[in-house]
Amino acid sequence: MQKNKTLGDYLPFWKNLTAEQKHLLLSSLQERDYGRGNIIHSGQDDCIGLIIVTSGQVRVYIVSDEGKELTLFRLLERDMCLFSASCIIPSLQFEVMVAAETDLSLLIIPAGVFKALMDESAAVANYTNALMASHFSEVMWLMDQILNKKLDTRIAAFLLEESLLTSKPTLKLTHEKIANHLGSIREVITRILRYFQEEGLVKLSRGSITLVDFNRIEALAESSRK
Amino acid sequence: MQKNKTLGDYLPFWKNLTAEQKHLLLSSLQERDYGRGNIIHSGQDDCIGLIIVTSGQVRVYIVSDEGKELTLFRLLERDMCLFSASCIIPSLQFEVMVAAETDLSLLIIPAGVFKALMDESAAVANYTNALMASHFSEVMWLMDQILNKKLDTRIAAFLLEESLLTSKPTLKLTHEKIANHLGSIREVITRILRYFQEEGLVKLSRGSITLVDFNRIEALAESSRK
DNA sequence: TAATTTTTGTAGCAAAGTCACGGAAGAAAT
DNA sequence: ATTTCTTCCGTGACTTTGCTACAAAAATTA
């Protein structure tokens, strides 16, 4: 890969860097591939660095003491994430998991290198700011969903999102996985999907869900989105 | 007030500023007082600037479409908050409310001034970063509470926090206000407080709650804190 | 004192989470 | 090909929390 060209493409602050800084970034930059399901980052101590998704799909989520999960957001191509470099921002005090949802490739800027750049360059620091703010905004949106929306609408929205990501009407998903995304539990998802099926919205079978009546699913999801 | 001395005291990045920057800050700095219950900041458009609490107590919270509230965190003396200056970080895309919980005094750094400093100074930008990260961390802690803890333990913890803040065992609080803090609803709070009273944890009367059995309240709250 | 507002109580139902178990579908092993 | 095993799903009974609606009690104001 032509790292030089690529990086300038990914990083809005690239043009504000000195030649030395660019060189430092390029020479320390790592490329790494992960297989579907692999953990990229786990908890506070882990600090591989800032990641940039070049292909594939990443899931950022939290896990409670009892093992209940909740997806905070996903990263697609060109997205970046700070949480895998939480050690460079000491006041970021919470545990997140970052995992590969598909086979994927990342660029990794080592934590130490990025920290150095942040300390030197206001442009880098401000970009970091914007990045964290956008993650923060997604989490606040999620907070509103959890507190104020009914689960059926959230499931409907999630199913649509999935079929959009995979471009298929049939999703290879277990009820458990849906529960893990939405911060709910398997039994409740089963219950509601069953109801969806009775209503003719979806067709269920072991390990897969086929969206049948897109319009009505969308109508349901709408009331969660607004 | 000796603004000079004070500001250097409040802002960790003060020593990294140039003389001009210090002057800019000092000359633009505002001092403002708010009465208990006043709204300091409301929603996206409002952008008075970065606030520093010099005395009193601030509540930062969100309000849903249906009017349900949830306290994100509080600010005490010496605390700072970015949300009243969300316009300087365009990717901060959510609506928060900031209100005076007691009579209080603030220092206000106008948004434009702070933005200019952030753009010039990596130290300021990085401090902003740290500030946002610590707010973010508090919200993530809250997310865990909401998703994974039972309401009775959250109420117990909240009552203790209140009695710590006011240094009194009798709290002047309505059930409604507690609900607004915890993102719940009045009836449920009433129900659980009633149960607390039956168990001899608290003594209730209109508009006030007296903590009776601190030990058992703490024991309950413990299971939410860990 | 009467009228009004605020706060609390309560009942009944709905939604979501928890617990416990069983059974079915598919994969792996023999 | 049959058995074993694992993963996934279905279900019922129960708890917790939220929602709706209404009423009573306490404080405030007129």
PDB file of all heavy atoms in Angstrom, chain C residues 1-14:
ATOM      1  P    DT C   1     -61.259  28.726  59.996  1.00  0.00           P
ATOM      2  OP1  DT C   1     -62.089  28.362  61.160  1.00  0.00           O
ATOM      3  OP2  DT C   1     -60.005  28.010  59.695  1.00  0.00           O
ATOM      4  O5'  DT C   1     -62.180  28.704  58.709  1.00  0.00           O
ATOM      5  C5'  DT C   1     -63.170  29.701  58.548  1.00  0.00           C
ATOM      6  C4'  DT C   1     -63.339  29.885  57.073  1.00  0.00           C
ATOM      7  O4'  DT C   1     -62.202  30.608  56.515  1.00  0.00           O
ATOM      8  C3'  DT C   1     -63.430  28.579  56.289  1.00  0.00           C
ATOM      9  O3'  DT C   1     -64.465  28.718  55.330  1.00  0.00           O
ATOM     10  C2'  DT C   1     -62.064  28.426  55.652  1.00  0.00           C
ATOM     11  C1'  DT C   1     -61.665  29.884  55.414  1.00  0.00           C
ATOM     12  N1   DT C   1     -60.194  30.158  55.388  1.00  0.00           N
ATOM     13  C2   DT C   1     -59.672  30.814  54.308  1.00  0.00           C
ATOM     14  O2   DT C   1     -60.329  31.160  53.364  1.00  0.00           O
ATOM     15  N3   DT C   1     -58.315  31.046  54.379  1.00  0.00           N
ATOM     16  C4   DT C   1     -57.454  30.690  55.403  1.00  0.00           C
ATOM     17  O4   DT C   1     -56.266  30.959  55.351  1.00  0.00           O
ATOM     18  C5   DT C   1     -58.063  30.009  56.514  1.00  0.00           C
ATOM     19  C7   DT C   1     -57.226  29.571  57.681  1.00  0.00           C
ATOM     20  C6   DT C   1     -59.383  29.767  56.459  1.00  0.00           C
ATOM     21  P    DA C   2     -64.935  27.480  54.454  1.00  0.00           P
ATOM     22  OP1  DA C   2     -66.403  27.483  54.377  1.00  0.00           O
ATOM     23  OP2  DA C   2     -64.204  26.280  54.920  1.00  0.00           O
ATOM     24  O5'  DA C   2     -64.370  27.907  53.038  1.00  0.00           O
ATOM     25  C5'  DA C   2     -64.682  29.200  52.522  1.00  0.00           C
ATOM     26  C4'  DA C   2     -63.998  29.368  51.179  1.00  0.00           C
ATOM     27  O4'  DA C   2     -62.578  29.559  51.384  1.00  0.00           O
ATOM     28  C3'  DA C   2     -64.124  28.155  50.267  1.00  0.00           C
ATOM     29  O3'  DA C   2     -64.386  28.632  48.954  1.00  0.00           O
ATOM     30  C2'  DA C   2     -62.783  27.436  50.398  1.00  0.00           C
ATOM     31  C1'  DA C   2     -61.827  28.599  50.671  1.00  0.00           C
ATOM     32  N9   DA C   2     -60.670  28.259  51.514  1.00  0.00           N
ATOM     33  C8   DA C   2     -60.663  27.538  52.684  1.00  0.00           C
ATOM     34  N7   DA C   2     -59.474  27.428  53.234  1.00  0.00           N
ATOM     35  C5   DA C   2     -58.647  28.119  52.365  1.00  0.00           C
ATOM     36  C6   DA C   2     -57.256  28.372  52.381  1.00  0.00           C
ATOM     37  N6   DA C   2     -56.447  27.949  53.342  1.00  0.00           N
ATOM     38  N1   DA C   2     -56.754  29.104  51.364  1.00  0.00           N
ATOM     39  C2   DA C   2     -57.573  29.533  50.397  1.00  0.00           C
ATOM     40  N3   DA C   2     -58.885  29.366  50.274  1.00  0.00           N
ATOM     41  C4   DA C   2     -59.369  28.640  51.306  1.00  0.00           C
ATOM     42  P    DA C   3     -64.512  27.659  47.715  1.00  0.00           P
ATOM     43  OP1  DA C   3     -65.535  28.208  46.804  1.00  0.00           O
ATOM     44  OP2  DA C   3     -64.597  26.272  48.211  1.00  0.00           O
ATOM     45  O5'  DA C   3     -63.097  27.871  47.009  1.00  0.00           O
ATOM     46  C5'  DA C   3     -62.679  29.191  46.648  1.00  0.00           C
ATOM     47  C4'  DA C   3     -61.319  29.097  45.977  1.00  0.00           C
ATOM     48  O4'  DA C   3     -60.317  28.774  46.968  1.00  0.00           O
ATOM     49  C3'  DA C   3     -61.223  28.021  44.889  1.00  0.00           C
ATOM     50  O3'  DA C   3     -60.552  28.582  43.780  1.00  0.00           O
ATOM     51  C2'  DA C   3     -60.424  26.903  45.557  1.00  0.00           C
ATOM     52  C1'  DA C   3     -59.526  27.687  46.507  1.00  0.00           C
ATOM     53  N9   DA C   3     -59.095  26.952  47.700  1.00  0.00           N
ATOM     54  C8   DA C   3     -59.858  26.139  48.505  1.00  0.00           C
ATOM     55  N7   DA C   3     -59.184  25.635  49.519  1.00  0.00           N
ATOM     56  C5   DA C   3     -57.911  26.154  49.366  1.00  0.00           C
ATOM     57  C6   DA C   3     -56.731  25.999  50.118  1.00  0.00           C
ATOM     58  N6   DA C   3     -56.658  25.258  51.222  1.00  0.00           N
ATOM     59  N1   DA C   3     -55.631  26.656  49.687  1.00  0.00           N
ATOM     60  C2   DA C   3     -55.710  27.400  48.572  1.00  0.00           C
ATOM     61  N3   DA C   3     -56.756  27.632  47.797  1.00  0.00           N
ATOM     62  C4   DA C   3     -57.834  26.967  48.247  1.00  0.00           C
ATOM     63  P    DT C   4     -60.286  27.721  42.446  1.00  0.00           P
ATOM     64  OP1  DT C   4     -60.501  28.596  41.273  1.00  0.00           O
ATOM     65  OP2  DT C   4     -60.992  26.426  42.569  1.00  0.00           O
ATOM     66  O5'  DT C   4     -58.720  27.454  42.560  1.00  0.00           O
ATOM     67  C5'  DT C   4     -57.855  28.539  42.929  1.00  0.00           C
ATOM     68  C4'  DT C   4     -56.447  27.988  43.096  1.00  0.00           C
ATOM     69  O4'  DT C   4     -56.314  27.350  44.382  1.00  0.00           O
ATOM     70  C3'  DT C   4     -56.059  26.938  42.048  1.00  0.00           C
ATOM     71  O3'  DT C   4     -54.847  27.358  41.444  1.00  0.00           O
ATOM     72  C2'  DT C   4     -55.901  25.639  42.846  1.00  0.00           C
ATOM     73  C1'  DT C   4     -55.538  26.181  44.227  1.00  0.00           C
ATOM     74  N1   DT C   4     -55.869  25.290  45.376  1.00  0.00           N
ATOM     75  C2   DT C   4     -54.906  25.068  46.322  1.00  0.00           C
ATOM     76  O2   DT C   4     -53.797  25.549  46.269  1.00  0.00           O
ATOM     77  N3   DT C   4     -55.304  24.250  47.351  1.00  0.00           N
ATOM     78  C4   DT C   4     -56.541  23.645  47.514  1.00  0.00           C
ATOM     79  O4   DT C   4     -56.775  22.947  48.479  1.00  0.00           O
ATOM     80  C5   DT C   4     -57.493  23.918  46.477  1.00  0.00           C
ATOM     81  C7   DT C   4     -58.862  23.316  46.562  1.00  0.00           C
ATOM     82  C6   DT C   4     -57.130  24.718  45.460  1.00  0.00           C
ATOM     83  P    DT C   5     -54.167  26.533  40.242  1.00  0.00           P
ATOM     84  OP1  DT C   5     -53.664  27.503  39.256  1.00  0.00           O
ATOM     85  OP2  DT C   5     -55.068  25.427  39.851  1.00  0.00           O
ATOM     86  O5'  DT C   5     -52.916  25.917  41.001  1.00  0.00           O
ATOM     87  C5'  DT C   5     -52.110  26.768  41.820  1.00  0.00           C
ATOM     88  C4'  DT C   5     -51.095  25.924  42.550  1.00  0.00           C
ATOM     89  O4'  DT C   5     -51.742  25.193  43.621  1.00  0.00           O
ATOM     90  C3'  DT C   5     -50.410  24.866  41.662  1.00  0.00           C
ATOM     91  O3'  DT C   5     -49.017  24.968  41.878  1.00  0.00           O
ATOM     92  C2'  DT C   5     -50.996  23.535  42.141  1.00  0.00           C
ATOM     93  C1'  DT C   5     -51.288  23.854  43.604  1.00  0.00           C
ATOM     94  N1   DT C   5     -52.352  23.030  44.259  1.00  0.00           N
ATOM     95  C2   DT C   5     -52.112  22.535  45.506  1.00  0.00           C
ATOM     96  O2   DT C   5     -51.071  22.713  46.107  1.00  0.00           O
ATOM     97  N3   DT C   5     -53.148  21.811  46.043  1.00  0.00           N
ATOM     98  C4   DT C   5     -54.375  21.547  45.465  1.00  0.00           C
ATOM     99  O4   DT C   5     -55.232  20.887  46.039  1.00  0.00           O
ATOM    100  C5   DT C   5     -54.547  22.095  44.148  1.00  0.00           C
ATOM    101  C7   DT C   5     -55.843  21.859  43.425  1.00  0.00           C
ATOM    102  C6   DT C   5     -53.547  22.803  43.609  1.00  0.00           C
ATOM    103  P    DT C   6     -47.962  24.121  41.085  1.00  0.00           P
ATOM    104  OP1  DT C   6     -46.811  24.982  40.754  1.00  0.00           O
ATOM    105  OP2  DT C   6     -48.659  23.341  40.034  1.00  0.00           O
ATOM    106  O5'  DT C   6     -47.489  23.107  42.214  1.00  0.00           O
ATOM    107  C5'  DT C   6     -47.129  23.625  43.497  1.00  0.00           C
ATOM    108  C4'  DT C   6     -46.899  22.465  44.435  1.00  0.00           C
ATOM    109  O4'  DT C   6     -48.159  21.876  44.815  1.00  0.00           O
ATOM    110  C3'  DT C   6     -46.071  21.320  43.826  1.00  0.00           C
ATOM    111  O3'  DT C   6     -45.019  21.063  44.730  1.00  0.00           O
ATOM    112  C2'  DT C   6     -47.061  20.164  43.683  1.00  0.00           C
ATOM    113  C1'  DT C   6     -48.053  20.482  44.795  1.00  0.00           C
ATOM    114  N1   DT C   6     -49.436  19.953  44.637  1.00  0.00           N
ATOM    115  C2   DT C   6     -50.009  19.289  45.691  1.00  0.00           C
ATOM    116  O2   DT C   6     -49.436  19.098  46.745  1.00  0.00           O
ATOM    117  N3   DT C   6     -51.299  18.862  45.477  1.00  0.00           N
ATOM    118  C4   DT C   6     -52.045  19.037  44.326  1.00  0.00           C
ATOM    119  O4   DT C   6     -53.197  18.607  44.249  1.00  0.00           O
ATOM    120  C5   DT C   6     -51.387  19.738  43.264  1.00  0.00           C
ATOM    121  C7   DT C   6     -52.112  19.972  41.974  1.00  0.00           C
ATOM    122  C6   DT C   6     -50.128  20.156  43.460  1.00  0.00           C
ATOM    123  P    DT C   7     -43.879  20.047  44.430  1.00  0.00           P
ATOM    124  OP1  DT C   7     -42.671  20.551  45.107  1.00  0.00           O
ATOM    125  OP2  DT C   7     -43.884  19.737  42.990  1.00  0.00           O
ATOM    126  O5'  DT C   7     -44.377  18.749  45.207  1.00  0.00           O
ATOM    127  C5'  DT C   7     -44.576  18.821  46.612  1.00  0.00           C
ATOM    128  C4'  DT C   7     -45.284  17.569  47.058  1.00  0.00           C
ATOM    129  O4'  DT C   7     -46.605  17.540  46.488  1.00  0.00           O
ATOM    130  C3'  DT C   7     -44.613  16.264  46.610  1.00  0.00           C
ATOM    131  O3'  DT C   7     -44.074  15.668  47.776  1.00  0.00           O
ATOM    132  C2'  DT C   7     -45.744  15.449  45.976  1.00  0.00           C
ATOM    133  C1'  DT C   7     -46.997  16.189  46.444  1.00  0.00           C
ATOM    134  N1   DT C   7     -48.178  16.113  45.565  1.00  0.00           N
ATOM    135  C2   DT C   7     -49.336  15.548  46.056  1.00  0.00           C
ATOM    136  O2   DT C   7     -49.433  15.092  47.184  1.00  0.00           O
ATOM    137  N3   DT C   7     -50.391  15.528  45.177  1.00  0.00           N
ATOM    138  C4   DT C   7     -50.399  16.010  43.872  1.00  0.00           C
ATOM    139  O4   DT C   7     -51.404  15.937  43.189  1.00  0.00           O
ATOM    140  C5   DT C   7     -49.157  16.590  43.426  1.00  0.00           C
ATOM    141  C7   DT C   7     -49.051  17.137  42.033  1.00  0.00           C
ATOM    142  C6   DT C   7     -48.115  16.608  44.283  1.00  0.00           C
ATOM    143  P    DT C   8     -43.379  14.262  47.700  1.00  0.00           P
ATOM    144  OP1  DT C   8     -42.498  14.160  48.869  1.00  0.00           O
ATOM    145  OP2  DT C   8     -42.865  14.064  46.346  1.00  0.00           O
ATOM    146  O5'  DT C   8     -44.613  13.275  47.937  1.00  0.00           O
ATOM    147  C5'  DT C   8     -45.330  13.340  49.164  1.00  0.00           C
ATOM    148  C4'  DT C   8     -46.521  12.405  49.114  1.00  0.00           C
ATOM    149  O4'  DT C   8     -47.390  12.782  48.035  1.00  0.00           O
ATOM    150  C3'  DT C   8     -46.172  10.930  48.892  1.00  0.00           C
ATOM    151  O3'  DT C   8     -46.652  10.223  50.019  1.00  0.00           O
ATOM    152  C2'  DT C   8     -46.899  10.571  47.596  1.00  0.00           C
ATOM    153  C1'  DT C   8     -47.995  11.623  47.536  1.00  0.00           C
ATOM    154  N1   DT C   8     -48.537  11.957  46.197  1.00  0.00           N
ATOM    155  C2   DT C   8     -49.867  11.743  45.946  1.00  0.00           C
ATOM    156  O2   DT C   8     -50.641  11.285  46.765  1.00  0.00           O
ATOM    157  N3   DT C   8     -50.276  12.104  44.680  1.00  0.00           N
ATOM    158  C4   DT C   8     -49.500  12.636  43.678  1.00  0.00           C
ATOM    159  O4   DT C   8     -49.973  12.919  42.593  1.00  0.00           O
ATOM    160  C5   DT C   8     -48.105  12.834  44.011  1.00  0.00           C
ATOM    161  C7   DT C   8     -47.170  13.400  42.989  1.00  0.00           C
ATOM    162  C6   DT C   8     -47.694  12.486  45.234  1.00  0.00           C
ATOM    163  P    DG C   9     -46.518   8.666  50.096  1.00  0.00           P
ATOM    164  OP1  DG C   9     -46.436   8.305  51.530  1.00  0.00           O
ATOM    165  OP2  DG C   9     -45.448   8.275  49.166  1.00  0.00           O
ATOM    166  O5'  DG C   9     -47.895   8.130  49.529  1.00  0.00           O
ATOM    167  C5'  DG C   9     -49.081   8.330  50.289  1.00  0.00           C
ATOM    168  C4'  DG C   9     -50.215   7.536  49.671  1.00  0.00           C
ATOM    169  O4'  DG C   9     -50.564   8.143  48.392  1.00  0.00           O
ATOM    170  C3'  DG C   9     -49.879   6.076  49.376  1.00  0.00           C
ATOM    171  O3'  DG C   9     -50.921   5.281  49.902  1.00  0.00           O
ATOM    172  C2'  DG C   9     -49.806   6.006  47.846  1.00  0.00           C
ATOM    173  C1'  DG C   9     -50.744   7.138  47.420  1.00  0.00           C
ATOM    174  N9   DG C   9     -50.440   7.755  46.138  1.00  0.00           N
ATOM    175  C8   DG C   9     -49.241   8.307  45.750  1.00  0.00           C
ATOM    176  N7   DG C   9     -49.269   8.804  44.533  1.00  0.00           N
ATOM    177  C5   DG C   9     -50.561   8.562  44.101  1.00  0.00           C
ATOM    178  C6   DG C   9     -51.177   8.875  42.855  1.00  0.00           C
ATOM    179  O6   DG C   9     -50.687   9.434  41.885  1.00  0.00           O
ATOM    180  N1   DG C   9     -52.519   8.447  42.826  1.00  0.00           N
ATOM    181  C2   DG C   9     -53.159   7.809  43.870  1.00  0.00           C
ATOM    182  N2   DG C   9     -54.419   7.479  43.664  1.00  0.00           N
ATOM    183  N3   DG C   9     -52.584   7.519  45.032  1.00  0.00           N
ATOM    184  C4   DG C   9     -51.300   7.916  45.071  1.00  0.00           C
ATOM    185  P    DT C  10     -50.791   3.711  49.973  1.00  0.00           P
ATOM    186  OP1  DT C  10     -51.007   3.349  51.388  1.00  0.00           O
ATOM    187  OP2  DT C  10     -49.567   3.285  49.277  1.00  0.00           O
ATOM    188  O5'  DT C  10     -52.028   3.196  49.117  1.00  0.00           O
ATOM    189  C5'  DT C  10     -52.811   4.131  48.380  1.00  0.00           C
ATOM    190  C4'  DT C  10     -53.411   3.448  47.153  1.00  0.00           C
ATOM    191  O4'  DT C  10     -53.103   4.243  45.962  1.00  0.00           O
ATOM    192  C3'  DT C  10     -52.871   2.046  46.842  1.00  0.00           C
ATOM    193  O3'  DT C  10     -53.941   1.305  46.288  1.00  0.00           O
ATOM    194  C2'  DT C  10     -51.827   2.331  45.799  1.00  0.00           C
ATOM    195  C1'  DT C  10     -52.578   3.384  44.986  1.00  0.00           C
ATOM    196  N1   DT C  10     -51.778   4.172  44.036  1.00  0.00           N
ATOM    197  C2   DT C  10     -52.379   4.613  42.876  1.00  0.00           C
ATOM    198  O2   DT C  10     -53.539   4.388  42.609  1.00  0.00           O
ATOM    199  N3   DT C  10     -51.568   5.329  42.034  1.00  0.00           N
ATOM    200  C4   DT C  10     -50.227   5.629  42.238  1.00  0.00           C
ATOM    201  O4   DT C  10     -49.601   6.281  41.417  1.00  0.00           O
ATOM    202  C5   DT C  10     -49.662   5.135  43.465  1.00  0.00           C
ATOM    203  C7   DT C  10     -48.229   5.408  43.770  1.00  0.00           C
ATOM    204  C6   DT C  10     -50.450   4.438  44.289  1.00  0.00           C
ATOM    205  P    DA C  11     -54.022  -0.266  46.495  1.00  0.00           P
ATOM    206  OP1  DA C  11     -54.641  -0.544  47.799  1.00  0.00           O
ATOM    207  OP2  DA C  11     -52.696  -0.844  46.163  1.00  0.00           O
ATOM    208  O5'  DA C  11     -55.039  -0.671  45.342  1.00  0.00           O
ATOM    209  C5'  DA C  11     -55.981   0.300  44.838  1.00  0.00           C
ATOM    210  C4'  DA C  11     -56.177   0.038  43.355  1.00  0.00           C
ATOM    211  O4'  DA C  11     -55.334   0.945  42.581  1.00  0.00           O
ATOM    212  C3'  DA C  11     -55.783  -1.372  42.926  1.00  0.00           C
ATOM    213  O3'  DA C  11     -56.718  -1.852  41.981  1.00  0.00           O
ATOM    214  C2'  DA C  11     -54.400  -1.184  42.329  1.00  0.00           C
ATOM    215  C1'  DA C  11     -54.577   0.180  41.659  1.00  0.00           C
ATOM    216  N9   DA C  11     -53.317   0.874  41.405  1.00  0.00           N
ATOM    217  C8   DA C  11     -52.197   0.905  42.184  1.00  0.00           C
ATOM    218  N7   DA C  11     -51.212   1.624  41.683  1.00  0.00           N
ATOM    219  C5   DA C  11     -51.743   2.092  40.489  1.00  0.00           C
ATOM    220  C6   DA C  11     -51.195   2.917  39.486  1.00  0.00           C
ATOM    221  N6   DA C  11     -49.964   3.420  39.530  1.00  0.00           N
ATOM    222  N1   DA C  11     -51.978   3.204  38.423  1.00  0.00           N
ATOM    223  C2   DA C  11     -53.216   2.687  38.387  1.00  0.00           C
ATOM    224  N3   DA C  11     -53.840   1.900  39.268  1.00  0.00           N
ATOM    225  C4   DA C  11     -53.033   1.647  40.307  1.00  0.00           C
ATOM    226  P    DG C  12     -56.729  -3.392  41.554  1.00  0.00           P
ATOM    227  OP1  DG C  12     -57.903  -3.992  42.185  1.00  0.00           O
ATOM    228  OP2  DG C  12     -55.366  -3.946  41.802  1.00  0.00           O
ATOM    229  O5'  DG C  12     -56.965  -3.343  39.977  1.00  0.00           O
ATOM    230  C5'  DG C  12     -57.300  -2.124  39.320  1.00  0.00           C
ATOM    231  C4'  DG C  12     -56.640  -2.126  37.951  1.00  0.00           C
ATOM    232  O4'  DG C  12     -55.398  -1.361  38.006  1.00  0.00           O
ATOM    233  C3'  DG C  12     -56.243  -3.529  37.475  1.00  0.00           C
ATOM    234  O3'  DG C  12     -56.458  -3.594  36.078  1.00  0.00           O
ATOM    235  C2'  DG C  12     -54.757  -3.593  37.803  1.00  0.00           C
ATOM    236  C1'  DG C  12     -54.352  -2.166  37.478  1.00  0.00           C
ATOM    237  N9   DG C  12     -53.086  -1.723  38.047  1.00  0.00           N
ATOM    238  C8   DG C  12     -52.488  -2.112  39.228  1.00  0.00           C
ATOM    239  N7   DG C  12     -51.340  -1.520  39.440  1.00  0.00           N
ATOM    240  C5   DG C  12     -51.170  -0.706  38.330  1.00  0.00           C
ATOM    241  C6   DG C  12     -50.108   0.176  37.981  1.00  0.00           C
ATOM    242  O6   DG C  12     -49.084   0.415  38.623  1.00  0.00           O
ATOM    243  N1   DG C  12     -50.345   0.811  36.757  1.00  0.00           N
ATOM    244  C2   DG C  12     -51.446   0.614  35.984  1.00  0.00           C
ATOM    245  N2   DG C  12     -51.501   1.300  34.836  1.00  0.00           N
ATOM    246  N3   DG C  12     -52.444  -0.198  36.283  1.00  0.00           N
ATOM    247  C4   DG C  12     -52.238  -0.820  37.463  1.00  0.00           C
ATOM    248  P    DC C  13     -56.519  -5.029  35.332  1.00  0.00           P
ATOM    249  OP1  DC C  13     -57.907  -5.190  34.881  1.00  0.00           O
ATOM    250  OP2  DC C  13     -55.861  -6.056  36.179  1.00  0.00           O
ATOM    251  O5'  DC C  13     -55.603  -4.817  34.053  1.00  0.00           O
ATOM    252  C5'  DC C  13     -55.679  -3.584  33.334  1.00  0.00           C
ATOM    253  C4'  DC C  13     -54.296  -3.228  32.839  1.00  0.00           C
ATOM    254  O4'  DC C  13     -53.429  -2.889  33.958  1.00  0.00           O
ATOM    255  C3'  DC C  13     -53.578  -4.347  32.076  1.00  0.00           C
ATOM    256  O3'  DC C  13     -53.322  -3.885  30.766  1.00  0.00           O
ATOM    257  C2'  DC C  13     -52.282  -4.564  32.858  1.00  0.00           C
ATOM    258  C1'  DC C  13     -52.122  -3.205  33.552  1.00  0.00           C
ATOM    259  N1   DC C  13     -51.225  -3.223  34.721  1.00  0.00           N
ATOM    260  C2   DC C  13     -50.132  -2.352  34.718  1.00  0.00           C
ATOM    261  O2   DC C  13     -49.957  -1.607  33.753  1.00  0.00           O
ATOM    262  N3   DC C  13     -49.290  -2.351  35.783  1.00  0.00           N
ATOM    263  C4   DC C  13     -49.513  -3.164  36.806  1.00  0.00           C
ATOM    264  N4   DC C  13     -48.659  -3.120  37.824  1.00  0.00           N
ATOM    265  C5   DC C  13     -50.624  -4.057  36.831  1.00  0.00           C
ATOM    266  C6   DC C  13     -51.447  -4.051  35.778  1.00  0.00           C
ATOM    267  P    DA C  14     -52.832  -4.942  29.657  1.00  0.00           P
ATOM    268  OP1  DA C  14     -53.768  -4.821  28.530  1.00  0.00           O
ATOM    269  OP2  DA C  14     -52.559  -6.264  30.291  1.00  0.00           O
ATOM    270  O5'  DA C  14     -51.443  -4.310  29.208  1.00  0.00           O
ATOM    271  C5'  DA C  14     -51.306  -2.907  29.095  1.00  0.00           C
ATOM    272  C4'  DA C  14     -49.835  -2.596  28.851  1.00  0.00           C
ATOM    273  O4'  DA C  14     -49.135  -2.577  30.122  1.00  0.00           O
ATOM    274  C3'  DA C  14     -49.107  -3.633  27.995  1.00  0.00           C
ATOM    275  O3'  DA C  14     -48.194  -2.945  27.177  1.00  0.00           O
ATOM    276  C2'  DA C  14     -48.406  -4.520  29.022  1.00  0.00           C
ATOM    277  C1'  DA C  14     -48.072  -3.492  30.105  1.00  0.00           C
ATOM    278  N9   DA C  14     -47.973  -4.032  31.459  1.00  0.00           N
ATOM    279  C8   DA C  14     -48.823  -4.903  32.083  1.00  0.00           C
ATOM    280  N7   DA C  14     -48.472  -5.179  33.317  1.00  0.00           N
ATOM    281  C5   DA C  14     -47.319  -4.441  33.514  1.00  0.00           C
ATOM    282  C6   DA C  14     -46.458  -4.302  34.615  1.00  0.00           C
ATOM    283  N6   DA C  14     -46.633  -4.911  35.780  1.00  0.00           N
ATOM    284  N1   DA C  14     -45.388  -3.482  34.469  1.00  0.00           N
ATOM    285  C2   DA C  14     -45.210  -2.853  33.297  1.00  0.00           C
ATOM    286  N3   DA C  14     -45.948  -2.903  32.192  1.00  0.00           N
ATOM    287  C4   DA C  14     -46.996  -3.730  32.381  1.00  0.00           C
TER     288       DA C  14
END
